[in-house]
Structures are given as structure tokens and as C-alpha cells.
Amino acid sequence: MGDTIDLRSTLSHFNILVIGRANSGKTTLLKRVCNSVEDPEIFSPSGEKIDSSIVEGSAGRGLHDIDNQLIFKSNPQFIFHDSRGFESASVEEIENVKDFIAQRASSRHLSDQLHTIWYCMPTDTNRPMLDADKQFFNDHAAGQGKFTFLHIPVIAIFTKFDGLVTKAYSELKRGGATRQEAMTKRTEKALEMLTTNFVERFSSTAVRPTDWIHLSNMHEGGGNCNDLIEKTANALNNDALRLLFVSVQRNNIDLCTHYAVNNG
């Protein structure tokens, strides 16, 4: 506990890099994590506030910058860094991400380092893994020394699972299932599709995510990120940092209590 108190005195926030292609639900996810209905405020690395309209769809205006800080008023202890969708910038954006990760990894101060990476991949698509995704999880093995994130937990977040459930229902119907049968088996079928078409693709990459989850209905009131928070906490390799991460989940006291009791 003493380590946690000492860490609190030097570290007031968590730095999270959020990666994902366009329309993967990143902003919706962050709003849910921070229990906010408002867009985050955006600040430059020097602390200057930037017009929040650049959060979405800013790539074409040349305003997007991975170094900018996305902060929600509802939980300012999270600082998010948003990577522009790989498919919209290809090699250039991957290089930007490499440089950003390398720069943060070189810092001797924990407060300036990245604490985790959330890698969002939509499941309502016929392109489960892009070449850019493969490159991200393979580059360091090919001698790209500046792109080393092995010490940073990477959580693969498969978003829009409800879309995959709808697709599974359609496949079951096409396979001859009745409406009731398709309704009953659609979630199980969707989980099979998720494993085969998405999760298992990481078996051939040099680096695999530390853990993964699937999320659905994040745009609705019933969606929550409890599993994401718990898996992120479990993935942190610094005990004091893990306890601090859990303690700032101000919007979910039950989860904080549960994790504290079960992990001591």
C-alpha cells in the first residue's frame, strides 16, 4: 500500500493510447469508460486547449495529432492519445505510431510513459485484419528496434459485437435454421465467428495482445466496460500502478471494491 501512496504523489493520471480504424467506435468506448455524454476536451502537448471538433473525422483537415491529449471532465485522471485510423494513412500513420511509442518508452518518468494500449477492431466487417494490423503486431520482430511495445500491455478490443451477432443470425437462417433456432443460437455462433475470424488470426503474428475482449451495444444505456477495466488492470505489470488504476475508477465503485477484495 505504501508503494501506491508514493506513486499517487508522483503520478496523477494514466496515459492510454487508443488505436483503431475509422468507425471502430473509439470515441463511444471512451465516453462509456469515463461515463460521459460529452466529447472530451483536447489539449496540445504543451497544455493549450484545442477545438474539440477535431476528435472525429479530423484526418482530412490535417488537425489530428497523436500527441494531443483527450481528457473527459468526468474523469480527468485518464489521458487518452488517439491514433488516426491506419487505413486512412497507411505507412505514414504506422510510422507516427512507432515514433510516438518509442518516444514515450524512452522517458524515465512513469508519468510520461504509456501505461497501456487499447487496440480497437470492429467485428461488423468483412476485413477482420488489415495489413496495417499485421504490421503493427509483427514489426518489432523484423528488426524495427524503435517499435518495441512488449512492456506495454495491449488489450485487443473487438467492438460492435452486436453487428456480428446480426450477421450470425443471417448465416444461421441461410443454413436452414428456423427464426427461433437462429435467435437462440446467434450469440453462440457469433462467438465462434469471433474466435475463428478475428482472435485466431493473432496466432500467426510475432506479438499477440496481452488480452482481448468483445464489446457490444456501447451506444446504448446497457453497455458497459467492466471487463475492459478489469482486464486492463490485470495486464498492468506494476502492482502499485495497477492498484492506482483501479482506484481511479470513480464511476464504478462496485468494481473497485470487487477488485480490491479479490486481489488484495
Side-chain angles (χ1 to χ4, degrees):
M1 184 61 70
D3 289 342
T4 304
I5 295 174
D6 291 341
L7 188 57
R8 269 192 177 280
S9 66
T10 59
L11 181 66
S12 61
H13 56 267
F14 289 91
N15 296 318
I16 301 177
L17 172 60
V18 186
I19 298 176
R21 56 185 92 168
N23 300 315
S24 62
K26 290 185 295 182
T27 302
T28 300
L29 168 66
L30 299 187
K31 286 183 177 180
R32 183 64 63 186
V33 167
C34 294
N35 194 28
S36 175
V37 296
E38 299 179 349
D39 286 336
E41 294 183 318
I42 304 180
F43 299 87
S44 69
S46 62
E48 180 183 358
K49 189 173 181 179
I50 300 174
D51 187 345
S52 62
S53 64
I54 73 168
V55 175
E56 292 289 345
S58 62
R61 297 197 298 273
L63 297 174
H64 193 105
D65 189 339
I66 194 173
D67 285 300
N68 287 340
Q69 305 173 13
L70 279 63
I71 302 176
F72 288 87
K73 291 181 179 179
S74 57
N75 198 333
Q77 290 178 289
F78 280 120
I79 293 181
F80 299 103
H81 296 273
D82 183 14
S83 167
R84 191 165 128 196
F86 279 175
E87 77 280 15
S88 65
S90 189
V91 176
E92 179 184 357
E93 184 59 24
I94 294 176
E95 290 298 322
N96 288 340
V97 172
K98 290 181 187 178
D99 291 339
F100 179 76
I101 293 176
Q103 177 187 8
R104 290 305 180 110
S106 67
S107 175
R108 299 178 60 182
H109 302 290
L110 186 60
S111 60
D112 294 328
Q113 296 173 10
L114 283 177
H115 303 137
T116 192
I117 297 174
W118 288 348
Y119 201 103
C120 301
M121 304 178 70
T123 58
D124 62 342
T125 175
N126 293 322
R127 303 174 65 196
M129 184 175 282
L130 303 177
D131 288 342
D133 300 320
K134 297 176 184 177
Q135 186 174 345
F136 180 88
F137 288 97
N138 279 310
D139 257 8
H140 85 286
Q144 306 293 331
K146 68 176 180 177
F147 190 26
T148 300
F149 57 85
L150 291 177
H151 67 290
I152 305 174
V154 180
I155 309 298
I157 306 172
F158 298 106
T159 62
K160 302 187 176 183
F161 182 71
D162 42 317
L164 192 60
V165 171
T166 299
K167 186 175 181 179
Y169 173 84
S170 298
E171 287 197 9
L172 287 167
K173 287 283 289 179
R174 286 196 297 269
T178 65
R179 180 180 180 280
Q180 184 58 45
E181 289 173 337
M183 288 291 291
T184 301
K185 298 179 180 180
R186 59 180 182 170
T187 300
E188 180 181 356
K189 175 68 172 177
L191 287 171
E192 292 176 359
M193 295 167 65
L194 176 67
T195 300
T196 301
N197 299 333
F198 293 87
V199 178
E200 289 183 354
R201 291 178 182 265
F202 285 107
S203 64
S204 61
T205 58
V207 175
R208 302 175 188 178
T210 310
D211 208 337
W212 64 271
I213 64 168
H214 68 272
L215 299 175
S216 60
N217 301 317
M218 296 308 296
H219 59 288
E220 299 177 0
N224 69 72
C225 297
N226 290 3
D227 286 346
L228 173 59
I229 296 302
E230 188 158 0
K231 290 198 173 188
T232 299
N234 290 336
L236 292 169
N237 54 20
N238 181 305
D239 289 340
L241 183 61
R242 181 187 301 118
L243 290 174
L244 183 58
F245 173 79
V246 173
S247 73
V248 300
Q249 306 305 313
R250 61 174 63 180
N251 298 311
N252 198 327
I253 301 302
D254 289 341
L255 182 63
C256 295
T257 303
H258 167 78
Y259 194 90
V261 169
N262 286 279
N263 294 274

